[in-house]
Amino acid sequence: MKTSVPGKRRGVLTFNPGGPGAVGLDLSLMFANGLPKNVRQQYDMVGFDPRGIGESTPLECGLTEAEQGYPRPTRSAAEFAANNKWAKTVADKCLKAGGSSLPHLSTRNTARDMDVMRAALGEKKLSYFGVSYGTALGAVYMQLFPQRADRFVLDSAIDPGRMWRGMFQVWGPEGERAFTRWTKWTAARDATYHLGNSPAKVERTFRKLVARADTDPIVVDGQKLDGAAVRDAVRPEFFTVRSGAELVVSLKKAAEGRRAAVELPEEQTADNEVSSQLAVVCSDSSWPRDPDTYRRDALRDAARYPLYGDFVSSITPCAYWPKGAEPATQVDNKVKSLVVQNEWDSQTPLVTGKAMHRALKGSRMVTVAGGEGHGVVFGDTRNTCAEKAAMGYLVSGELPAKDVVCKATAGGARSQGRAAPFK
């Protein structure tokens, strides 16, 4: 989409919506509707599908719906054996489908593709708006091509030092933090939710629900949810406290045989999305090759972080994936950029956004204190303070003089559902 005011044109603004695995070709049209006029006047907005995704020679491993879901719990030797078999099966299917291309489906190479796109468009520099995984892509581009990075906004940032197993594992301790906050919030509203009038009682109610589901699965729309499935469904909801309380109330009613409108987070299952996501996270960094490492870690973290620890340390197909063509990219530069972050983000927690800010020494950070949900500028709840900082930077190129703290918008966010890992 070209700017309608050539005299004000600065250059090209491109986007990445996250994933990895999400298409972006039409993103310029989608985002344009949410961008202020003074931004649209300055940039030609260009979308693209990263390599392996959408129109960019998509990788499709031929995965069944059952094979697409991860991460998976490991609570027993039988579950570990099943997960180990699943991981090898998926890796073998993808190797057969992708062959020698797999080691090259990486963030580093997608950043290079972005620079080829810049050159093909005849631009000296590139401006960029990346969300979630898109912050990793933006940071790697800045690392590889610092002199060609113009105005970069990174919304809901990953920790470049945790790519990628560490980005799964951070959900263990951060899930516990969110759960503790949720029990306090819910206990203070016992008259509404009736889950307990103290944090300890709310926690007991939830633990009993999980235990009950393990012995007598909860049936929701014909789907049986055991305790692990309940934990998987509610983990992201605890970051948006109202959604968490409403979902637990509904699951409790369903478990008791009462009528309940249970709205489970939507699963996103598409072969290309999952296959290309695996390719990126497996190729970007080194993963343990000894399957027993995952078994030990999952059992350890199940005890440390009972909400989700066994999920995030369980084995993935990366244990059997061909090694990436290059080592992990170390992000450590002084390129100007803006990091925007909600305090309570289920996919990229605040701790990872702070780590990105530290790695990008030329950056400023906008934190929405009390902000809930994954994605700030185009999130479920508008925050004019954060939007003003991000859009102001795209227009003027001037970063805030110091880091900015915005107050959360009254009412909070609604959950965005269970998306692909960092999308």
Side-chain angles (χ1 to χ4, degrees):
M1 176 180 289
K2 287 189 175 183
T3 174
S4 59
V5 189
K8 293 186 177 182
R9 183 185 184 277
R10 176 175 181 82
V12 166
L13 176 64
T14 191
F15 308 86
N16 182 273
V23 297
L25 195 59
D26 296 332
L27 207 61
S28 60
L29 297 175
M30 294 169 59
F31 276 13
N33 295 326
L35 292 172
K37 182 178 179 180
N38 55 358
V39 174
R40 297 196 306 270
Q41 288 178 339
Q42 289 197 33
Y43 297 98
D44 294 341
M45 288 174 280
V46 178
F48 70 99
D49 286 343
R51 63 169 57 193
I53 297 168
E55 299 298 320
S56 293
T57 313
L59 171 66
E60 294 187 343
C61 299
L63 304 180
T64 66
E65 186 173 339
E67 289 168 341
Q68 291 175 16
Y70 74 102
R72 298 175 177 224
T74 294
R75 299 164 293 178
S76 66
E79 280 188 337
F80 173 71
N83 290 339
N84 188 37
K85 181 180 180 181
W86 159 78
K88 190 173 189 311
T89 297
V90 170
D92 287 346
K93 279 190 169 184
C94 288
L95 183 58
K96 183 177 180 181
S100 60
S101 70
L102 290 189
H104 304 282
L105 295 174
S106 65
T107 302
R108 195 176 179 92
N109 276 333
T110 299
R112 292 185 176 117
D113 295 340
M114 283 173 57
D115 200 56
V116 171
M117 179 177 70
R118 173 204 58 78
L121 292 170
E123 300 294 325
K124 292 182 178 180
K125 290 190 174 186
L126 193 67
S127 291
Y128 177 81
F129 189 102
V131 183
S132 194
Y133 164 74
T135 67
L137 180 58
V140 170
Y141 184 91
M142 286 186 276
Q143 191 68 33
L144 296 181
F145 308 105
Q147 73 280 11
R148 296 170 191 160
D150 193 7
R151 299 171 184 178
F152 273 50
V153 176
L154 309 182
D155 187 333
S156 306
I158 65 98
D159 178 351
R162 295 179 192 255
M163 294 167 59
W164 283 110
R165 192 177 184 219
M167 278 301 301
F168 287 96
Q169 290 181 305
V170 77
W171 291 354
E174 293 304 307
E176 297 298 325
R177 276 203 331 118
F179 180 67
T180 297
R181 170 180 177 252
W182 174 79
T183 61
K184 294 177 181 177
W185 186 92
T186 304
R189 294 159 180 80
D190 185 51
T192 300
Y193 300 110
H194 309 294
L195 296 175
N197 59 8
S198 72
K201 289 179 180 178
V202 173
E203 179 175 355
R204 259 196 316 273
T205 299
F206 176 70
R207 301 294 183 204
K208 285 173 66 177
L209 180 66
V210 170
R212 179 172 182 167
D214 271 330
T215 58
D216 185 12
I218 303 170
V219 179
V220 176
D221 293 333
Q223 179 184 357
K224 291 184 177 181
L225 305 181
D226 65 3
V230 169
R231 291 186 290 121
D232 189 31
V234 299
R235 181 203 68 85
E237 309 306 303
F238 286 146
F239 287 80
T240 52
V241 284
R242 181 174 290 105
S243 294
E246 291 172 354
L247 180 56
V248 171
V249 166
S250 295
L251 288 171
K252 186 171 180 289
K253 286 181 179 179
E256 294 167 352
R258 293 187 285 158
R259 179 178 295 181
V262 181
E263 294 186 18
L264 292 175
E266 184 179 346
E267 294 275 3
Q268 295 185 0
T269 52
D271 191 1
N272 176 224
E273 183 174 5
V274 175
S275 299
S276 59
Q277 182 178 96
L278 283 170
V280 172
V281 300
C282 295
S283 300
D284 271 358
S285 57
S286 297
W287 289 73
R289 297 291 171 173
D290 178 10
D292 202 49
T293 299
Y294 298 91
R295 182 189 64 82
R296 291 194 304 268
D297 288 355
L299 295 176
R300 176 200 66 200
D301 288 345
R304 284 181 177 177
Y305 315 116
L307 178 62
Y308 215 63
D310 55 324
F311 277 90
V312 295
S313 288
S314 189
I315 195 166
T316 78
C318 297
Y320 296 102
W321 208 267
K323 187 177 180 181
E326 297 177 281
T329 303
Q330 301 299 311
V331 175
D332 180 14
N333 62 64
K334 297 180 180 179
V335 179
K336 288 174 61 176
S337 59
L338 188 69
V339 178
V340 188
Q341 190 79 30
N342 274 328
E343 182 179 3
W344 296 100
D345 184 322
S346 63
Q347 307 305 103
T348 54
L350 179 60
V351 66
T352 68
K354 288 181 176 180
M356 177 67 86
H357 179 34
R358 289 193 299 271
L360 299 175
K361 295 175 175 58
S363 67
R364 289 285 186 269
M365 185 167 183
V366 177
T367 305
V368 182
E372 297 179 334
H374 186 49
V376 178
V377 176
F378 292 97
D380 276 3
T381 302
R382 291 195 63 182
N383 187 281
T384 54
C385 169
E387 287 183 9
K388 182 178 178 181
M391 297 302 111
Y393 169 56
L394 287 176
V395 170
S396 70
E398 295 297 322
L399 289 170
K402 59 182 181 179
D403 291 345
V404 176
V405 176
C406 298
K407 292 182 179 180
T409 303
R414 303 290 298 181
S415 170
Q416 293 183 320
R418 181 172 178 255
F422 309 107
K423 185 175 176 181

